[in-house]
């Protein structure tokens, strides 16, 4: 049995590579988009902040998906994924960026979250005011970020610390601490999804909502990692390290989670549709009117049937173009899913008798801001790519990953 | 700018290059799955021993166990006959608790029937090779558990002579089952699951049955095994088809692992009853089913590996891995309990809140706390390596989980029903003597089938275990 892993040239980013320019280009682009968005913000801050929340959650969900990927690799002692894990570690350790990006949400929270002003006579909201109030909301948000910063920082630091080649024993620590990490991650992600998404419609509730958000996060994270790998390979990096075998496994995971997302979405919808209790169907009623019905029906196809049949075949999972198309599509429809969760709430609260909420629409400004935040995120990740080892070269299971083949 | 640390790295990372780069052995190398370096022949000998023993020499323990199980199974059939003769009234079911032990036992057994297919299909797709030592009897357990499960909806319909009404059979009365009823979906879901699991188990058995056919002495046994071996000769072409069929069945079974218990959860969750109607039910039921299934595998395998001399095939690593799965799924179940409780409060709906407070502090609080301590608290002991690698602790906790998962279904069914929307009709349900007897009888049926399986079929997937031995790897011993 071979016990030594060969460090090859393709594990480095060549000094002339485009990837060295990527951080600055993406950063400039991101700043430009955000500045453009600010002009729209001045015109209608209320609407713009809904777009801000949307863009923030979209990009954050990628980082959280990557974080789960990292934790679960350690938890399951995976060997195959070592060569792709570092990209996920980069994506997860962008968490400081999200702390900064969250500040405007914290500032404008009373404007975004309708439970911040309880109308007299709203017994339901009065009953849960001990949970849905601004102070506790801020404390909880701080706790979520504290957990994610802690997990992101420690798992990143420990993995990078192995690169010098003398900290292999740390793998055992990574294994041990991945177990408590996954519990903290699950609880923080669940309550974050309750606070930042579900409470936008404060009377509505669903026990599965955290799982629903998690399924989307993981899909987005996987799609991003795969796209990064494809992008690096297009620049001649990692060409010998990451093989079709790794791509096929990433594809299998994404395929599985496409089905899992649909399963969770169906469970939530079907059970509420079947029982037909007004306080529960409210969420779907809202999204089957005023133009949102087209989005709702389309999502059955865009988020399930199309990706399902597209990625079913083994050949597509082992085809770079096919996989790239799938990943772009998955990210887009994941963003659509979040848009569909967040945006129908805009202008839907405190309406006068007989008044209608605004018709479904996509604002250019929302998309510009999404592009901006995504660019900042990519700038952050590619900053790591240009400066750090893009493969965990000191990981004792690197050799297993390099020689990995689907049986 | 090239990263500095790469420049400083030696060309090789590994224990062959430099003294200071010794890799931790247990991290780099995957543990051997089978202990004691057996040859292929040793595996065959160990596994086939029981099936090749003549009946007159069968171990006394097996005989006693079989006698007891068979008696209980016969009692079970007697009870069913009495139930059909006398009617559902022999049970304690009374308004408003019209559903009690019958549905509880059904869900309990279906849940147990999840581990087998999960081990054979999902762990196969995840390349978890350790599954080869446990998949065969886990699958057998699945099939027998589903048989026990199917008995209960079959008999609790009351008029069993019209049981065929549950199937959408064209008829002159133009009578159809209600396609919107989850009970009908159950018929399809469990029926499909049973069929595919049986096929999967049987396909896996074929090469091993052929081994037995070639080894047994008696002519009758040769013919019997010969029929089921389907003319297996072990040719390259046979193996090629076999592997392809196995992969396809694994892919088909994987969604079934999720769908069966999801549909079972719909039986409850589509209703408007607080305590039943909540969106997390489908994944939560699936996690609970895997949890209880693994506990039952553990309960069966710990004595079996001792009595059948399989300790080198089913090693501590297998037991530890199963305990880890029990810990994970037990924690997912705990998460679901917590979500139900939190959302019951968060919903601001007084009926939802009442249902859960009634569960934890009402007349059935005792059953709720049995459930929580067995399902959520007891598996947490597996956080400690010392405890999850202890045979005694593993066995005791597996029993706790079995008990806890039965009570989970009891809590869901009975506590939600016994105090419904109309306080004047509230009623404390108590079983009569027949309910426990039915449950014990179903265990009799289960163990009768299981003991027959242990006696006459290879309890370990020999061909698959051989494939994970080091000598099966063609690259073994070659240092490149």
């Amino acid at each position: 049995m071979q016990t030594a892993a060969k460090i090859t040239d393709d594990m480095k980013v060549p000094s002339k590579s485009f990837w060295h320019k990527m951080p600055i280009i993406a950063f400039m682009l991101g700043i430009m988009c955000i500045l453009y968005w600010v002009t729209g913000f001045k015109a209608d801050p209320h609407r713009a902040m809904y777009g801000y929340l949307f863009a923030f959650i979209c990009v954050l969900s990628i980082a959280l998906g990557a974080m789960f990927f990292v934790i679960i690799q350690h938890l399951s002692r995976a060997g195959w994924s070592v060569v792709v894990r570092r990209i996920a570690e980069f994506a997860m350790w962008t968490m400081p960026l999200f702390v900064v990006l969250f500040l405007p949400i914290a500032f404008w929270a009373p404007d975004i979250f309708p439970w911040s002003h309880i109308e007299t006579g709203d017994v339901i909201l009065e009953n849960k005011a001990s949970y849905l109030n601004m102070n506790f909301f801020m404390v909880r948000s701080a706790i979520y970020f504290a957990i994610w910063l802690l997990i992101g920082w420690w798992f990143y630091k420990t993995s990078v610390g192995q690169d010098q080649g003398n900290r292999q024993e740390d793998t055992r620590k990574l294994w041990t601490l991945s177990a408590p990490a996954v519990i903290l991650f699950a609880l923080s992600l669940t309550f974050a999804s309750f606070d930042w998404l579900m409470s936008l419609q404060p009377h509505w509730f669903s026990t599965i909502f955290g799982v629903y958000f998690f399924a989307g996060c993981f899909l987005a994270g996987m799609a991003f990692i795969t796209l990064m790998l494809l992008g690096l390979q297009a620049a001649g990096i990692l060409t010998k390290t990451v093989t079709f075998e790794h791509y096929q496994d990433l594809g299998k995971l994404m395929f599985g989670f496409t089905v899992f997302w649909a399963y969770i979405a169906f469970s939530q919808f079907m059970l509420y549709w079947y029982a037909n209790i007004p306080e529960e169907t409210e969420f779907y009623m809202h999204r089957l009117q005023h133009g949102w019905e087209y989005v709702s029906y389309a999502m059955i196809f865009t988020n399930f049937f199309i990706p399902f049949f597209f990625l079913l075949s083994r050949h597509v999972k082992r085809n770079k173009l096919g996989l790239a198309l799938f990943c772009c599509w998955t990210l887009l429809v994941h963003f659509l899913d979040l848009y569909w969760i967040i945006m129908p709430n805009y202008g839907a609260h405190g309406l006068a008798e007989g008044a209608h909420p605004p018709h479904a629409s996509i604002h250019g400004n929302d998309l510009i801001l999404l592009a901006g935040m995504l660019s900042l995120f990519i700038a952050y990740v590619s900053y790591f790519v240009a400066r750090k080892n893009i493969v965990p070269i000191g990981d004792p299971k690197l050799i297993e990953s390099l020689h990995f083949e689907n049986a | 700018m090239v990263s500095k640390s790469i420049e400083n790295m030696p060309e090789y990372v590994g224990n062959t290059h430099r003294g200071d780069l010794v890799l931790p052995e247990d991290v780099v190398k995957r543990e051997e799955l089978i202990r004691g370096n057996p040859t292929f022949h040793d595996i065959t000998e160990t596994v086939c021993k029981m099936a090749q023993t003549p009946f007159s020499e069968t171990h006394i323990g097996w005989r006693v166990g079989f006698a007891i199980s068979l008696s209980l199974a016969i009692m079970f059939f007697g009870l069913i006959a009495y139930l059909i003769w006398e009617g559902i009234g022999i049970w304690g079911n009374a308004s408003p608790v019209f559903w009690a032990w019958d549905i509880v036992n059904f869900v309990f057994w279906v849940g147990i029937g999840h581990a087998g297919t999960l081990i054979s299909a999902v762990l196969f797709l995840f390349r978890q090779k350790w599954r080869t030592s446990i998949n065969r009897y886990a699958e057998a357990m699945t099939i027998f558990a589903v048989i026990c499960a199917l008995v209960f909806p079959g008999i609790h319909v009351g008029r069993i002579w019209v049981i065929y009404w549950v199937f959408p059979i064209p008829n002159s009365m133009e009578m159809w089952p209600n396609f919107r009823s989850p009970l009908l979906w159950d018929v399809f879901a469990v029926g499909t699951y049973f069929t595919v699991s049986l096929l999967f188990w049987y396909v896996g058995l074929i090469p091993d049955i052929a081994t037995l056919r070639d080894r047994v002495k008696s002519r009758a046994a040769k013919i019997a095994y010969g029929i089921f071996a389907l003319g297996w000769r072990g040719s390259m072409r046979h193996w090629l088809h076999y592997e392809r069929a196995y992969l396809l069945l694994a892919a088909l079974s994987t969604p079934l692992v999720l769908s069966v218990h999801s549909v079972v959860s719909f039986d409850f969750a589509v209703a408007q009853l607080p305590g039943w109607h909540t969106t997390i039910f489908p994944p939560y039921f699936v996690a609970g089913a895997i949890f209880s299934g693994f506990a039952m595998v553990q309960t069966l395998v710990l004595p079996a590996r001792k009595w059948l001399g399989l300790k080198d095939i089913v090693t501590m690593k297998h037991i530890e891995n199963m305990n880890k799965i029990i810990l994970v799924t037990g924690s997912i179940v705990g998460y679901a309990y917590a979500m139900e409780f939190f959302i019951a409060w968060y919903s601001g709906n007084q009926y939802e809140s009442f249902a859960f407070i009634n569960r934890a502090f009402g007349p059935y609080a005792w059953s709720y706390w049995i459930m929580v301590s067995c399902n959520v608290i007891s598996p947490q002991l597996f956080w400690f390596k010392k405890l999850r690698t202890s045979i005694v602790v593993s066995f005791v906790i597996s029993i706790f989980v079995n008990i806890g998962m039965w009570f989970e279904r009891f809590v869901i069914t009975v506590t939600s029903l016994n105090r419904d929307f109309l306080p004047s009709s509230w009623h404390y349900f108590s079983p009569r003597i027949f309910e426990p007897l039915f449950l014990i009888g179903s265990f009799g049926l289960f163990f009768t089938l299981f003991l027959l399986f242990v006696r006459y079929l290879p309890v370990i997937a020999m061909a698959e275990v051989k494939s994970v031995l080091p000598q099966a790897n063609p690259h073994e011993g070659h240092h490149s």
Side-chain angles (χ1 to χ4, degrees), chain A residues 111-317:
Chain A
D111 209 37
I112 304 171
F113 296 97
W115 44 262
S116 57
H117 323 282
I118 301 175
E119 291 161 45
T120 41
D122 191 336
V123 185
I124 295 178
L125 283 190
E126 278 167 11
N127 281 342
K128 51 182 162 185
S130 57
Y131 182 82
L132 289 184
N133 63 71
M134 268 307 149
N135 290 337
F136 193 25
F137 174 84
M138 294 304 168
V139 171
R140 288 196 306 270
S141 300
I143 294 173
Y144 308 146
F145 279 114
I147 291 173
W148 298 336
L149 283 169
L150 186 70
I151 294 177
W153 167 75
W154 191 80
F155 279 87
Y156 173 77
K157 178 206 78 161
T158 312
S159 172
V160 170
Q162 289 188 316
D163 286 0
Q164 297 301 331
N166 54 1
R167 304 288 300 267
Q168 276 81 13
E169 290 287 335
D170 282 358
T171 295
R172 243 184 250 123
K173 277 199 245 163
L174 288 163
W175 288 354
T176 310
L177 286 184
S178 61
V182 84
I183 292 179
L184 285 175
F185 178 84
L187 290 174
S188 55
L189 183 106
T190 304
F191 282 96
S193 75
F194 289 171
D195 287 356
W196 299 343
L197 296 174
M198 198 165 87
S199 82
L200 287 169
Q201 210 160 336
H203 285 186
W204 187 73
F205 54 88
S206 171
T207 44
I208 210 173
F209 197 80
V211 186
Y212 181 83
F213 181 58
F214 160 74
C217 282
F218 192 62
L219 261 180
M222 297 293 297
F224 179 78
I225 296 164
T226 312
L227 279 176
M228 280 297 291
L229 292 169
L230 289 164
L232 285 167
Q233 288 205 328
I237 306 159
L238 290 180
T239 41
K240 282 176 270 179
T241 309
V242 176
T243 65
F244 287 115
E245 308 296 336
H246 301 108
Y247 282 128
Q248 193 189 344
D249 260 21
L250 290 166
K252 281 191 269 186
L253 270 176
M254 286 191 281
F255 179 77
F257 268 80
T258 302
V259 180
F260 183 72
W261 177 89
Y263 164 64
I264 299 298
F266 174 76
S267 298
Q268 179 171 277
F269 171 75
M270 198 282 283
L271 292 174
Y272 278 173
W273 165 80
Y274 198 109
N276 203 11
I277 300 173
E279 66 212 48
E280 294 173 347
T281 51
E282 172 196 37
F283 180 88
Y284 292 101
M285 280 306 288
H286 215 70
R287 282 156 185 78
L288 289 172
Q289 295 175 49
H290 313 298
W292 289 106
E293 62 269 33
Y294 302 110
V295 183
S296 303
Y297 294 132
M299 275 172 59
I300 300 170
F301 295 92
T302 55
N303 290 44
F304 179 62
F305 283 109
I306 294 172
F308 176 85
F309 285 108
F310 185 75
L311 202 63
L312 190 55
S313 160
R314 175 176 198 268
H315 301 289
V316 182
K317 298 187 197 92

Side-chain angles (χ1 to χ4, degrees), chain A residues 10-177:
Chain A
D10 67 324
M11 291 184 195
K12 308 166 191 171
V13 180
S15 48
K16 284 195 183 131
S17 169
F18 169 74
W19 281 96
H20 284 286
K21 299 187 196 98
M22 194 67 173
I24 189 73
I25 296 172
F27 181 76
M28 296 305 286
L29 188 69
I31 294 294
M32 270 163 23
C33 289
I34 289 175
L35 288 177
Y36 181 86
W37 172 81
V38 170
T39 58
F41 174 80
K42 281 182 187 151
D44 184 356
H46 184 56
R47 175 68 181 73
M49 281 317 289
Y50 268 83
Y52 190 93
L53 180 69
F54 158 71
F56 173 79
I57 300 279
C58 282
V59 185
L60 176 69
S61 68
I62 299 174
L64 290 175
M67 183 177 284
F68 184 74
F69 180 77
V70 173
I71 300 174
I72 208 78
Q73 299 317 308
H74 293 305
L75 191 64
S76 61
R77 279 73 167 137
W80 71 273
S81 60
V82 173
V83 294
V84 303
R85 205 187 63 219
R86 183 54 57 80
I87 303 298
E89 287 165 354
F90 291 157
M92 129 186 122
W93 187 225
T94 52
M95 211 39 84
L97 171 70
F98 295 99
V99 177
V100 177
L101 290 179
F102 186 74
L103 295 178
I105 295 179
F107 192 77
W108 273 282
D111 209 37
I112 304 171
F113 296 97
W115 44 262
S116 57
H117 323 282
I118 301 175
E119 291 161 45
T120 41
D122 191 336
V123 185
I124 295 178
L125 283 190
E126 278 167 11
N127 281 342
K128 51 182 162 185
S130 57
Y131 182 82
L132 289 184
N133 63 71
M134 268 307 149
N135 290 337
F136 193 25
F137 174 84
M138 294 304 168
V139 171
R140 288 196 306 270
S141 300
I143 294 173
Y144 308 146
F145 279 114
I147 291 173
W148 298 336
L149 283 169
L150 186 70
I151 294 177
W153 167 75
W154 191 80
F155 279 87
Y156 173 77
K157 178 206 78 161
T158 312
S159 172
V160 170
Q162 289 188 316
D163 286 0
Q164 297 301 331
N166 54 1
R167 304 288 300 267
Q168 276 81 13
E169 290 287 335
D170 282 358
T171 295
R172 243 184 250 123
K173 277 199 245 163
L174 288 163
W175 288 354
T176 310
L177 286 184

Side-chain angles (χ1 to χ4, degrees), chain B residues 146-460:
Chain B
V146 175
I147 290 173
C148 290
L150 283 170
V151 171
F152 286 96
I155 59 176
H156 96 262
V157 293
R159 281 175 282 172
I160 196 159
W161 45 93
V162 289
I163 186 71
Y164 62 91
W165 284 5
V166 301
F167 300 105
I169 303 167
N171 58 76
S172 56
M173 295 180 287
E174 283 293 315
M175 288 220 318
W176 296 94
N178 184 358
F179 284 98
R180 278 194 177 188
S181 163
L183 299 179
L184 180 72
W185 310 341
D186 248 2
V187 172
F188 293 126
V190 183
T192 313
Y193 184 67
F194 180 71
T195 314
V196 176
S197 300
L198 188 66
L199 270 176
F200 201 11
W201 183 58
Y202 178 58
V203 167
L205 265 170
I206 291 173
D208 289 353
I209 292 181
T211 307
L212 275 178
R213 171 200 63 197
D214 300 340
R215 290 173 63 93
V216 287
K217 298 279 183 298
S218 100
R219 187 161 166 73
K222 247 187 189 352
I223 291 173
Y225 287 124
I227 290 170
F228 287 104
L230 299 181
W232 180 270
R233 288 288 175 273
S235 77
M236 191 62 165
R237 188 168 286 264
H238 284 178
W239 280 110
L240 201 68
H241 289 303
Y242 169 86
E243 297 277 346
R244 183 54 61 89
Y246 200 94
L247 182 64
L248 281 177
L249 282 169
L252 283 174
S253 309
T254 302
L256 288 179
V257 176
L258 290 172
S259 71
V260 182
H261 231 60
S262 297
V263 173
V264 170
S265 82
F266 292 161
D267 289 349
F268 300 95
V270 296
Q272 286 149 330
L273 193 70
W276 286 9
H277 177 58
T278 182
T279 47
I280 206 166
F281 255 39
Y284 148 47
F285 264 51
V286 172
I290 295 163
F291 180 55
S292 69
F294 268 88
M296 191 55 112
V297 175
Q298 201 75 291
T299 310
L300 294 173
V301 82
L302 290 172
R305 71 192 274 274
K306 183 155 187 257
W307 294 336
L308 301 175
L310 303 172
K311 280 184 180 172
D312 288 338
I313 298 179
V314 185
T315 66
M316 192 46 81
K317 182 171 169 69
H318 297 98
I319 294 168
E320 193 188 349
N321 279 354
M322 284 195 276
N323 284 338
K324 283 180 181 171
I325 293 187
I326 289 174
L327 174 58
V328 170
T329 46
S331 303
I332 295 177
V333 167
Y335 170 92
Y337 295 164
M339 281 309 121
E340 281 189 318
F341 238 98
F342 174 74
I343 294 290
W345 173 81
Y346 177 90
S347 70
N349 180 323
Q350 52 176 323
Y351 302 104
E352 282 284 330
S353 311
F354 174 78
F356 282 88
I357 289 167
N358 183 46
R359 252 182 209 183
F361 306 106
Y364 287 102
W366 56 274
S367 64
Y368 181 81
W369 294 107
I370 290 178
M371 170 187 96
V372 171
S373 19
C374 289
N375 288 353
V376 184
I377 299 170
S378 82
Q380 302 305 322
L381 293 175
F382 285 150
W383 281 100
F384 305 100
K385 191 172 176 90
K386 210 170 188 159
L387 297 178
R388 66 172 183 259
T389 51
S390 150
I391 303 277
V392 178
V393 174
S394 305
F395 188 74
V396 171
I397 291 184
S398 79
I399 299 286
F400 273 146
V401 173
N402 285 324
I403 295 171
M405 284 307 290
W406 189 87
F407 271 99
E408 180 193 294
R409 281 66 175 248
F410 179 83
V411 167
I412 292 170
T413 312
V414 176
T415 66
S416 307
L417 283 172
N418 90 100
R419 287 185 161 180
D420 65 356
F421 299 101
L422 206 61
S424 62
S425 67
W426 287 3
H427 166 70
Y428 186 87
F429 160 85
S430 308
R432 293 176 61 193
I433 181 69
F434 288 102
E435 278 103 330
L437 288 179
F438 269 89
L439 179 60
I440 295 168
S442 66
F443 269 98
L445 175 62
F446 177 76
F447 279 107
T448 305
L449 294 169
F450 199 79
L451 286 169
L452 282 174
F453 156 74
V454 168
R455 175 69 182 77
Y456 291 107
L457 287 171
V459 285
I460 303 286

